[in-house]
Amino acid sequence: MRTYHCFWLLFWAGQPHQSFLTPLSKRTSGLPEKEKVLVLSGNSRRDLHRSKRSWMWNQFFLLEEYTGTDYQYVGKLHSDQDKGDGSLKYILSGDGAGDLFIINENTGDIQATKRLDREEKPVYILRAQAINRRTGRPVEPESEFIIKIHDINDNEPMFTKDVYNASIPEMSDVGTFVVQVTATDADDPTYGNSAKVVYSILQGQPYFSVESETGIIKTALLNMDRENREQYQVVIQAKDMGGQMGGLSGTTTVNITLTDVNDNPPRFPQSTYQFRAPESTPPDSPVGRIKANDADVDENAEIEYSITEGDGYDMFGITTDKDTQEGIITVKKALDFENKSLYILKVEATNTHVDPRFLYLGPFKDTATVRIQVEDVDEPPVFSRPAYIMEVKEDVPINSVIGTVTAQDPDAAKNPVKYSVDRHTDMDRVFNINSGNGSIFTSKPLDRETLLWHNITVIAAEINNPKQSSRVPVFIKVLDVNDNAPEFAMFYETFVCENAKAEQLIQTLSAVDKDDSYSGHQFSFSLAPEAASSSNFTLQDNRDNTAGIFTRKTRYNRHEMSTYFLPVVISDNDYPIQSSTETVTIRVCACDHRGKMLSCNAEALIHPTGLSTGALIAILLCIIILLVTVVLFAALRRQRKKEPLIISKEDIRDNIVSYNDEGGGEEDTQAFDIGTLRNPEAIDDNKLRRDIVPETLFMPRRTAAARDNTDVRDFINQRLKENDTDPTAPPYDSLATYAYEGNGSVAESLSSLESVTTDGDQDYDYLSDWGPRFKKLADMYGTMDSDKDS
C-alpha cells in the first residue's frame, strides 16, 4: 500500500473584517480557535479547498502598520510527517525570510518581526520546507506561498504641485475652464475607499468652483473685472475615503490671474486743454502733450491720436508717444502772431485694438478741445522775396543803382531796418548798399568777360535791436556790351616759296571775340591802308568769319627779303563797332617742285625747338646705363675682402694682428703700435704715456737695439724680461709691447702682473693717485696688501 506524505499548512483565520482590524497576540500553545488545516499531497501538489468558503492554501493575509509590542503572527506550517517528536525541522526562505519573517523550526509558526508598509511592498513570496533534523534530507518537497499585505488608510492624498498658477481672461463666462489639479493617494485603490479622492474648494468662493471627481476648476461668477481685482488665491482640498468622515486630506494653492481684455475705452481726464506757443517756434517742434487714460494694459491700452477738426487743422499735427501713450501736438507750419493768435483744435483718442465682444460697452474713443495761444516775439526783419535776381551792364558808371531789396519788421512795433552787404560774399567790394532804403549800387567797374555772375548776401537788421537780423541772397548778372575788338584765333606765322605763283593761297585766317553776340559774330577782314597798295600779298574776305592770304607776284627772293609782316584789320558788326589790327608773319623759304619747304631763315618752321623723342630716349638710356655701372662698382668694392697683412698661418705676427688691445682704454693711443713688432729698431723708448700722471717721473730706461735678424719671439721675451724688472712699467697688459702666447702655446699668460717672483716686488699704493680710472685697480691691490699685512 502506497503511503502519501502530506504537508499541513495551518492558517489562522476568522471573519475577514475582524481579522484585519484586530492585532494577533503571540502564539504560545495549541491552535487558534478559527484555524484551518490544509493538507498538501507531496506527489500531486494540488490545492485543497474547503467546500464552502473556497480558501486557497498558499496565501496569507497580513495587515500593514501593526502597532503591537509583540511579533505579529502570520500563520503555521505543518507536515503530516511531523510526529511531534522533534525529528523534523521547518525552514523558511524567500522575500524577507530570516529578517522580516521568522519561523519556529520546531512548530512551524511564522511571525512578522517588523511593521509592514503596503506602499513599500504589497506582496512577499516565500518558500517552506520540512527536513529531517538528523539526516538533513527534506521529507517534503519545497512549497511556495504568498503573504499579501492588506492596506489601511495611512496615506493622505498628495497634489502633483504645491502651487498651481493659472490665468483666464477677465469678463469670462460662468463655467470657463481655469485649470485642473490632480492629487494621488498611495493607498491600495482596489481595497476599500482608502484611495478614492474627492476634491473640494476651501477658499476662492464664490468666484470659482471645482469638480469633486476631476479636480477641474471653473469660474463661478459672471463678469469678473481685472480692473477691480486681478489676483485670486484658491485653496483646493483633496480627501480620500470618498470624502467621508475620518478620511485623510491634502490641500494645494492655485494662484489665478485675470488677464486683460479691451473692455475699457480711453477717456480724457479733462475736456479742454490750453497751450501757448511762441510765433518763432520752428516747424516740427512740440507745443504740448495730452493723454487719455485707459484702464486696460499692454496693447489693449494703445491709443492713436488725431486732429479731427478746428481752424488749426493745417497748422498743427499730433503724434503718439508709444512709450507713454501721450499725444504730442507739434507745429506743422510757421506761426505768425500778427496774422492769427489763437487756434482751436478738436483731438480724438481711439483704441487701436478693439475687441468686438465689448462694443456694447460704448465707443472706444474720446474727444477733447485744445486751445493754442500764439505768443508774440521780437522777430527779425522779413524780406519781400526769398532771393533777388538783378542785371546790370558791364559799362555802367560807378555808383550806378542796379536794384533795391526791401525788408520790414513783421512785429506790431514796425521797428526801422538798416541794410548792409555781407563782405564775406563781396571781398572785392564791387557793390555797396544804401543802409536806409536798400538800393544796391556799383562801387567798382564791371567786366563781364572777367566775371559773369556776382552772388552777394544782403543783411537786414533792426536798428533798435541789431541781433534781430535776416539775410537774403542777391544774384547779379553782368550784361555784355561790345567793348572788345575781335582778334586772331591764334598766332599766325606762315611761309611762301620762292618759286610760288601769283594768286596762290598761303594761309587762311580766323578770328574770335570775347564779347557775346546774341545774333552771332560777323567779322570782316582787310589789309591795313598802309599795306593795301604796296604789299606783295592780297587778302580775300570769305564772308564766313575767315579770310585767305594770296600771293600777288610770281617769284620771291629770300636773299632780298626773308620776312614779310602783313597787317590785317579785323572788325565786328556790333554797336559800337570794334576793330583791331593783327600782324601775320610770312617767311620766304626754298621749296621743291611740289611746294614742300626745304630751307629758309626760320629754321623753327622746319625743325621745332627742343629735342626729338628718339634723342630723349637715347639720353635717358645712357643715364640709366651709367647709374647701373656706378651701383655695380660700389657693390663689388663693398664685397671685396681686405687682404690680410700676413698670409702665412705659421707666422707669429698673424696672431698679433688678430688679438684685441687690452691697454688703458679708448684714450690709450700710445699702447699699440704694430710697426714696432715689424721693425723692432724703430721703437722710441722716450715716448711718455699720456693716459697716466704718475706722482714720480722715472726716466725711461734705454734698451739695447735688437739685431737685424731678431725674431719677434725673442724680441717679446726680451721686452718681457725688461718690464718684469722695470718699476716704471704700467700695471696692465699690452699686447703691442710684449704679449704673445703663440699658436697653441702652453706658456699660459705672460702678463707682467703675474710674472713677478714675489708679491712684495711691487708697491701699488701709487695707483690711488692716478685718477678715477684706476680707482677700481687701486682698491683691488690695496686690499691685497692690507690682507697680507694682517
Side-chain angles (χ1 to χ4, degrees):
M1 176 178 176
R2 175 178 290 183
T3 302
Y4 293 93
H5 300 282
C6 299
F7 184 46
W8 297 76
L9 296 178
L10 301 181
F11 297 91
W12 177 89
Q15 298 299 326
H17 297 289
Q18 295 177 357
S19 63
F20 296 148
L21 298 177
T22 304
L24 299 178
S25 60
K26 184 177 180 181
R27 181 181 179 90
T28 55
S29 63
L31 297 175
E33 187 173 339
K34 295 182 179 180
E35 195 173 52
K36 176 187 175 187
V37 179
L38 299 178
V39 180
L40 175 64
S41 172
N43 297 329
S44 63
R45 302 183 68 90
R46 292 178 299 175
D47 293 345
L48 300 180
H49 299 279
R50 184 176 178 177
S51 58
K52 289 185 178 180
R53 296 191 180 182
S54 300
W55 286 340
M56 296 183 64
W57 72 269
N58 60 344
Q59 288 188 2
F60 287 99
F61 295 91
L62 193 65
L63 287 177
E64 66 172 337
E65 303 294 343
Y66 173 70
T67 58
T69 58
D70 296 333
Y71 290 163
Q72 187 177 7
Y73 183 74
V74 179
K76 182 179 180 62
L77 302 178
H78 185 70
S79 174
D80 56 357
Q81 299 295 322
D82 190 358
K83 305 301 183 180
D85 55 359
S87 61
L88 296 183
K89 178 181 178 181
Y90 295 97
I91 299 175
L92 188 66
S93 63
D95 296 341
D99 179 20
L100 187 59
F101 299 101
I102 60 175
I103 186 171
N104 190 316
E105 62 182 15
N106 295 322
T107 63
D109 292 329
I110 302 174
Q111 293 176 313
T113 61
K114 298 179 181 179
R115 296 175 59 181
L116 302 178
D117 190 355
R118 189 201 67 83
E119 286 71 35
E120 293 182 1
K121 190 174 180 64
V123 176
Y124 295 87
I125 301 175
L126 295 97
R127 293 176 297 279
Q129 192 174 30
I131 62 175
N132 189 297
R133 188 183 297 272
R134 183 175 58 85
T135 63
R137 299 180 63 182
V139 298
E140 295 283 355
E142 188 178 58
S143 299
E144 184 179 273
F145 63 95
I146 298 173
I147 299 177
K148 286 188 175 181
I149 309 301
H150 267 187
D151 183 46
I152 64 173
N153 189 19
D154 60 342
N155 291 281
E156 70 275 5
M158 299 292 293
F159 284 94
T160 57
K161 295 180 181 179
D162 294 334
V163 178
Y164 288 83
N165 294 302
S167 62
I168 58 168
E170 63 174 332
M171 309 298 289
S172 297
D173 297 332
V174 175
T176 301
F177 174 84
V178 178
V179 70
Q180 183 177 13
V181 297
T182 303
T184 58
D185 197 316
D187 294 326
D188 189 0
T190 63
Y191 180 75
N193 294 326
S194 298
K196 186 177 181 181
V197 179
V198 175
Y199 300 94
S200 61
I201 185 168
L202 300 183
Q203 177 182 322
Q205 293 175 334
Y207 306 104
F208 301 95
S209 63
V210 63
E211 292 183 357
S212 60
E213 295 182 357
T214 61
I216 296 176
I217 301 175
K218 299 180 179 180
T219 58
L221 190 64
L222 185 65
N223 294 334
M224 287 189 291
D225 194 359
R226 185 199 65 83
E227 287 72 32
N228 293 331
R229 183 177 178 182
E230 184 177 4
Q231 298 286 341
Y232 294 86
Q233 190 174 74
V234 178
V235 178
I236 302 297
Q237 175 184 266
K239 190 174 184 181
D240 59 12
M241 299 297 293
Q244 297 178 4
M245 185 75 68
L248 302 179
S249 63
T251 60
T252 187
T253 301
V254 182
N255 295 322
I256 302 175
T257 303
L258 297 183
T259 59
D260 186 57
V261 297
N262 193 6
D263 58 340
N264 293 280
R267 291 289 180 263
F268 283 106
Q270 59 193 68
S271 59
T272 303
Y273 295 85
Q274 292 191 6
F275 298 102
R276 293 180 177 273
E279 62 175 337
S280 59
T281 303
D284 298 328
S285 299
V287 174
R289 290 173 175 252
I290 61 175
K291 183 177 182 180
N293 298 325
D294 194 325
D296 298 322
V297 294
D298 299 333
E299 68 174 12
N300 296 320
E302 292 182 0
I303 301 174
E304 189 71 28
Y305 296 90
S306 60
I307 298 175
T308 57
E309 58 182 71
D311 53 4
Y313 183 83
D314 295 332
M315 299 297 296
F316 298 92
I318 188 168
T319 58
T320 303
D321 189 335
K322 298 300 181 181
D323 296 329
T324 62
Q325 296 301 316
E326 293 178 314
I328 306 174
I329 301 175
T330 58
V331 177
K332 294 173 61 177
K333 297 181 180 180
L335 303 178
D336 189 0
F337 172 81
E338 290 73 24
N339 185 25
K340 188 173 180 64
S341 60
L342 179 63
Y343 294 91
I344 300 177
L345 309 175
K346 188 175 183 180
V347 178
E348 182 178 81
T350 307
N351 276 138
T352 56
H353 301 279
V354 178
D355 194 336
R357 296 177 299 172
F358 305 104
L359 290 177
Y360 67 91
L361 296 177
F364 282 79
K365 58 184 178 180
D366 195 15
T367 58
T369 302
V370 179
R371 299 170 61 90
I372 301 176
Q373 182 72 42
V374 180
E375 297 179 339
D376 187 23
V377 296
D378 190 6
E379 298 176 278
V382 178
F383 284 94
S384 59
R385 300 179 189 175
Y388 291 86
I389 299 178
M390 301 179 182
E391 294 181 347
V392 58
K393 291 186 177 183
E394 60 179 329
D395 62 345
V396 296
I398 297 177
N399 296 327
S400 298
V401 176
I402 61 175
T404 303
V405 297
T406 304
Q408 61 180 0
D409 184 11
D411 300 324
K414 300 298 180 183
N415 294 320
V417 177
K418 64 177 181 179
Y419 303 92
S420 62
V421 176
D422 186 356
R423 291 305 172 188
H424 291 90
T425 61
D426 186 23
M427 301 295 292
D428 296 332
R429 296 181 176 268
V430 180
F431 302 96
N432 211 333
I433 191 171
N434 189 306
S435 61
N437 58 20
S439 59
I440 300 175
F441 55 90
T442 60
S443 57
K444 288 184 178 180
L446 302 176
D447 186 7
R448 188 200 68 87
E449 289 71 32
T450 302
L451 186 60
L452 177 62
W453 284 93
H454 295 267
N455 303 328
I456 66 174
T457 299
V458 175
I459 303 173
E462 294 183 5
I463 296 178
N464 299 334
N465 187 9
K467 293 183 179 180
Q468 294 294 337
S469 63
S470 57
R471 297 167 174 262
V472 68
V474 179
F475 307 103
I476 302 174
K477 183 179 181 181
V478 181
L479 301 179
D480 184 46
V481 295
N482 192 23
D483 58 346
N484 291 279
E487 57 189 13
F488 280 150
M490 58 181 294
F491 175 72
Y492 288 104
E493 184 175 7
T494 185
F495 70 95
V496 61
C497 295
E498 287 183 312
N499 56 356
K501 297 179 180 181
E503 301 299 327
Q504 181 179 342
L505 177 65
I506 62 174
Q507 182 66 50
T508 300
L509 308 177
S510 63
V512 293
D513 195 335
K514 295 180 181 180
D515 294 325
D516 188 15
S517 177
Y518 298 101
S519 59
H521 291 292
Q522 292 293 330
F523 301 128
S524 59
F525 299 86
S526 62
L527 293 177
E530 64 273 12
S533 59
S534 61
S535 176
N536 293 310
F537 301 92
T538 60
L539 180 68
Q540 179 180 340
D541 191 349
N542 298 326
R543 303 299 180 183
D544 59 355
N545 294 336
T546 63
I549 300 177
F550 295 86
T551 58
R552 176 173 286 183
K553 60 182 182 178
T554 301
R555 295 186 61 87
Y556 295 86
N557 191 340
R558 57 175 173 159
H559 300 289
E560 296 178 358
M561 180 68 69
S562 61
T563 304
Y564 293 93
F565 297 98
L566 186 65
V568 178
V569 177
I570 309 172
S571 302
D572 58 21
N573 62 346
D574 291 332
Y575 180 83
I577 295 176
Q578 300 288 339
S579 62
S580 65
T581 301
E582 301 289 332
T583 300
V584 179
T585 302
I586 304 174
R587 299 184 182 276
V588 180
C589 301
C591 303
D592 57 12
H593 65 281
R594 291 176 296 182
K596 184 177 180 181
M597 180 190 303
L598 296 178
S599 64
C600 59
N601 294 335
E603 295 294 334
L605 295 175
I606 304 174
H607 303 288
T609 58
L611 297 176
S612 64
T613 303
L616 291 175
I617 293 176
I619 293 174
L620 184 60
L621 288 176
C622 293
I623 295 174
I624 293 175
I625 292 173
L626 181 61
L627 290 177
V628 171
T629 303
V630 172
V631 171
L632 291 177
F633 181 75
L636 290 176
R637 291 200 60 182
R638 182 172 299 177
Q639 294 179 358
R640 181 186 301 174
K641 295 183 179 179
K642 187 175 182 180
E643 186 174 321
L645 296 175
I646 302 176
I647 305 300
S648 175
K649 206 171 192 181
E650 298 297 328
D651 198 322
I652 59 175
R653 288 174 295 180
D654 180 61
N655 294 281
I656 296 175
V657 175
S658 301
Y659 285 168
N660 292 330
D661 183 13
E662 299 181 5
E666 62 185 16
E667 295 183 0
D668 185 10
T669 59
Q670 300 290 335
F672 183 79
D673 187 5
I674 192 64
T676 303
L677 293 179
R678 293 175 178 171
N679 186 11
E681 296 181 356
I683 184 170
D684 188 2
D685 291 330
N686 293 327
K687 288 185 179 181
L688 300 179
R689 296 294 301 273
R690 294 189 299 171
D691 58 338
I692 56 176
V693 183
E695 180 180 1
T696 304
L697 183 62
F698 294 93
M699 292 301 294
R701 299 175 57 184
R702 190 71 177 179
T703 58
R707 299 187 304 273
D708 295 339
N709 57 352
T710 300
D711 186 68
V712 176
R713 183 190 300 273
D714 297 336
F715 171 75
I716 292 178
N717 291 333
Q718 180 183 350
R719 288 293 184 264
L720 176 62
K721 184 177 179 181
E722 294 174 357
N723 280 280
D724 286 342
T725 58
D726 188 3
T728 63
Y732 49 81
D733 295 346
S734 178
L735 289 175
T737 305
Y738 50 79
Y740 173 71
E741 294 182 5
N743 188 9
S745 172
V746 295
E748 298 180 353
S749 175
L750 299 180
S751 171
S752 62
L753 296 178
E754 298 179 359
S755 302
V756 295
T757 57
T758 61
D759 294 335
D761 294 339
Q762 292 286 345
D763 184 8
Y764 302 107
D765 292 340
Y766 62 87
L767 293 176
S768 58
D769 300 329
W770 284 10
R773 286 193 297 272
F774 295 90
K775 184 177 183 303
K776 183 64 177 180
L777 194 62
D779 292 341
M780 293 173 57
Y781 285 91
T783 303
M784 293 175 58
D785 294 341
S786 61
D787 292 343
K788 181 179 66 177
D789 295 339
S790 62

